[in-house]
Amino acid sequence: MKILLVGNGGREHAIAWKLLQSKDVEKIFCTPGNGGTATLPACENVPLAVDDFAGISQLAAKEGISLVVVGPEVPLAHGITDYLQAKGLMVFGPNRMGAQIEASKAWAKAFMQEAGIPTAKSAVFTEGLAAKSYVKAEGIPIVLKADGLAAGKGVIIAETLEQAEAAIEAIFGGQFGSAGNFIVIEEYLPGQEVSVLALTDGVTIRPLLPAQDHKRIGEGDTGDNTGGMGAYAPAPIATEEMMSRVQKEVLESAIATFNKRGIDYRGVLYAGLMVLPDGNFSVLEFNCRFGDPETQVILPLLDTPLVDLLIACAQQKLSEMPPIKWKDGAAATVVAASGGYPGDYVKGKVITGISEAQTKDGNDSHPASYIFHAGTKLESSQLLTDGGRVLNITGIGKDFKQALAQAYKSIAQIQFEGMYYRRDIGHRLEKQTEV
Ligand code: AMP
Ligand code: GLY
């Protein structure tokens, strides 16, 4: 079977690596891919943009592709699934209407209210005056969200009224383009975030291992928000009891509501939850795709062949699959970023030490390290930095202590000019478990 994978992040490198572990997968074409997918055996990068639907469809027809797997949210929100399905292709990833759950925060809020899914109190505004008076009435801290896709940058947590007003002006002033036509203003919730990703075929929904991400650039969770600086799984904060509540109150409620609305949602449904100090939880957001960097810690622990799960979702046969099997142990990933990220940074720096840093693939023994590339490119056999988040260094161990030690031991082998990484990935675990 040949698979076409859309995207170019650490998530896509991890998906391609996992798919290739199945004997059934003969080859993967990655559009456009990165330096990591370029070096995977049986994986070929094709320089097509993720929103070049016609180009992707022509490539799929030419190569006899059996399954298209879509990584990022932007092509999903623009209807890549609808487009490719109309050409007769099998696609993993929700259609355009389903992707609204991530693409519009106002849409997602109305959906959650209809489904009875626990979420923060909020209101939607289309102009600044009413938004400002709502903020005055509610008080601070308060959370302001541009409605549309803003690459994780459209959320502002205001700690003063001045900050809230400035955020309202920035959003309505066009700083986020059309993503800022609406603003969602939401109650601030304290607690710890956890990512629950689930696979669904539109009828059955099966959760993956829960993961925790580290959004801020600085140690101790300080500084600017990023795409994610590290993650680990299975997150102990999501207890079995909580996961069974999430299954019923969030995942199954969401599927029932999609069905009620006539939306056939097949793919990943990712619930970003806040675990509140009282042990309850609230949904902050939904995403319509695999998380990045969560995927880089979830997939190394997956024992069931990924390709079987993705096809079962696309063909609405997930209920026929046996329960998802996981490997023992824990996984942690540390992101190596370009100096200056999430602000300005320089690309094109030579990366060394990757082969020394990763352990040999192909056995389940602990500890092990896998390097998943994000912003890298291969140029004349030289690996160069090509983005803000450059590499994900994933360590696998019998427990978190070993997984983290392995990730940090490996990252110490890697060099590029200006490389930055957080040294405190997993710091919340100390309060949750013995590490
Ligand atoms: P979102 O894209 O809606 O998940 O928001 C991005 C980030 O903002 C989340 O991962 C949280 O760290 C933070 N955030 C969003 N909503 C809230 C909220 N209601 N209370 C506290 N933090 C929030
Ligand atoms: N790790 C956060 C996300 O994928 O949105």
Side-chain angles (χ1 to χ4, degrees):
M1 178 187 338
K2 293 180 189 166
I3 296 179
L4 196 159
L5 173 62
V6 177
N8 64 348
R11 165 181 55 206
E12 285 77 20
H13 186 185
I15 293 172
W17 167 82
K18 194 73 199 179
L19 286 172
L20 284 169
Q21 288 178 359
S22 302
K23 283 192 301 293
D24 300 339
V25 179
E26 177 194 334
K27 177 145 191 194
I28 295 182
F29 293 89
C30 201
T31 57
N34 61 27
T37 54
T39 45
L40 277 176
C43 186
E44 181 180 333
N45 287 351
V46 181
L48 292 171
V50 299
D51 56 1
D52 182 356
F53 296 177
I56 289 170
S57 155
Q58 279 155 18
L59 175 68
K62 182 171 140 239
E63 299 294 347
I65 294 294
S66 306
L67 171 71
V68 181
V69 180
V70 185
E73 62 278 14
V74 170
L76 292 168
H78 291 168
I80 189 170
T81 299
D82 314 61
Y83 184 95
L84 296 176
Q85 279 175 343
K87 306 268 179 198
L89 289 159
M90 177 156 71
V91 185
F92 177 85
N95 56 24
R96 194 179 63 80
M97 276 314 294
Q100 289 302 302
I101 199 146
E102 175 166 2
S104 166
K105 291 188 188 292
W107 194 98
K109 278 295 202 183
F111 179 95
M112 285 191 254
Q113 270 141 22
E114 184 184 332
I117 292 171
T119 188
K121 177 186 168 197
S122 69
V124 180
F125 297 90
T126 51
E127 54 89 24
L129 226 56
K132 286 181 189 172
S133 57
Y134 181 80
V135 166
K136 276 207 192 86
E138 291 294 315
I140 43 104
I142 198 148
V143 184
L144 304 115
K145 303 183 174 184
D147 178 60
L149 293 176
K153 300 191 177 76
V155 175
I156 296 127
I157 297 175
E159 276 157 23
T160 63
L161 274 180
E162 291 69 37
Q163 278 172 358
E165 290 184 357
I168 291 168
E169 277 162 25
I171 292 173
F172 285 131
Q175 193 175 319
F176 301 98
S178 61
N181 290 347
F182 298 92
I183 184 167
V184 176
I185 305 188
E186 187 170 282
E187 168 196 8
Y188 172 83
L189 298 176
Q192 272 196 47
E193 286 175 66
V194 60
S195 306
V196 177
L197 282 67
L199 295 176
T200 181
D201 62 0
V203 178
T204 302
I205 185 152
R206 300 237 176 120
L208 303 176
L209 292 180
Q212 272 190 302
D213 186 4
H214 298 63
K215 292 239 156 87
R216 305 291 195 97
I217 187 72
E219 283 162 21
D221 300 319
T222 53
D224 289 343
N225 252 330
T226 69
M229 295 301 293
Y232 49 84
I237 191 168
T239 58
E240 248 175 68
E241 186 200 336
M242 184 181 139
M243 288 298 282
S244 70
R245 281 189 59 198
V246 170
Q247 174 73 16
K248 284 202 193 65
E249 295 170 33
V250 179
L251 303 176
E252 287 172 9
S253 299
I255 291 304
T257 306
F258 277 126
N259 286 327
K260 205 165 112 199
R261 291 185 172 202
I263 298 171
D264 185 5
Y265 190 103
R266 304 184 193 189
V268 173
L269 183 64
Y270 160 160
L273 306 172
M274 186 67 93
V275 183
L276 305 169
D278 67 5
N280 283 310
F281 58 82
S282 180
V283 176
L284 294 182
E285 63 165 347
F286 280 109
N287 295 319
C288 64
R289 48 160 178 92
F290 281 107
D292 189 339
E294 289 91 331
T295 304
Q296 292 88 301
V297 289
I298 293 171
L299 292 188
L301 297 174
L302 179 67
D303 210 23
T304 303
L306 179 63
V307 65
D308 296 354
L309 290 168
L310 302 190
I311 289 176
C313 288
Q315 295 185 327
Q316 205 161 78
K317 289 188 174 157
L318 197 53
S319 67
E320 294 170 24
M321 290 284 295
I324 299 178
K325 283 210 323 218
W326 298 99
K327 299 179 193 218
D328 290 338
T333 197
V334 181
V335 171
S338 297
Y341 173 80
D344 295 338
Y345 54 83
V346 180
K347 296 184 190 177
K349 302 292 179 193
V350 176
I351 305 169
T352 58
I354 301 263
S355 50
E356 293 80 356
Q358 64 198 350
T359 49
K360 273 219 172 355
D361 227 345
N363 70 55
D364 285 345
S365 63
H366 302 136
S369 295
Y370 305 118
I371 316 300
F372 298 120
H373 296 218
T376 73
K377 68 173 172 190
L378 201 59
E379 217 171 68
S380 324
S381 318
Q382 211 171 34
L383 191 67
L384 304 176
T385 67
D386 195 37
R389 290 189 296 168
V390 177
L391 297 166
N392 303 263
I393 291 83
T394 298
I396 311 292
K398 64 179 174 9
D399 52 22
F400 284 117
K401 189 174 176 183
Q402 197 180 51
L404 284 160
Q406 184 66 19
Y408 279 111
K409 186 174 132 198
S410 289
I411 206 168
Q413 309 284 320
I414 296 174
Q415 276 118 28
F416 58 85
E417 197 185 310
M419 175 167 121
Y420 166 80
Y421 60 93
R422 278 179 60 169
R423 321 245 161 183
D424 68 341
I425 299 305
H427 69 93
R428 293 187 216 101
L429 286 164
E430 281 157 39
K431 295 182 205 101
Q432 293 170 11
T433 52
E434 292 299 313
V435 285

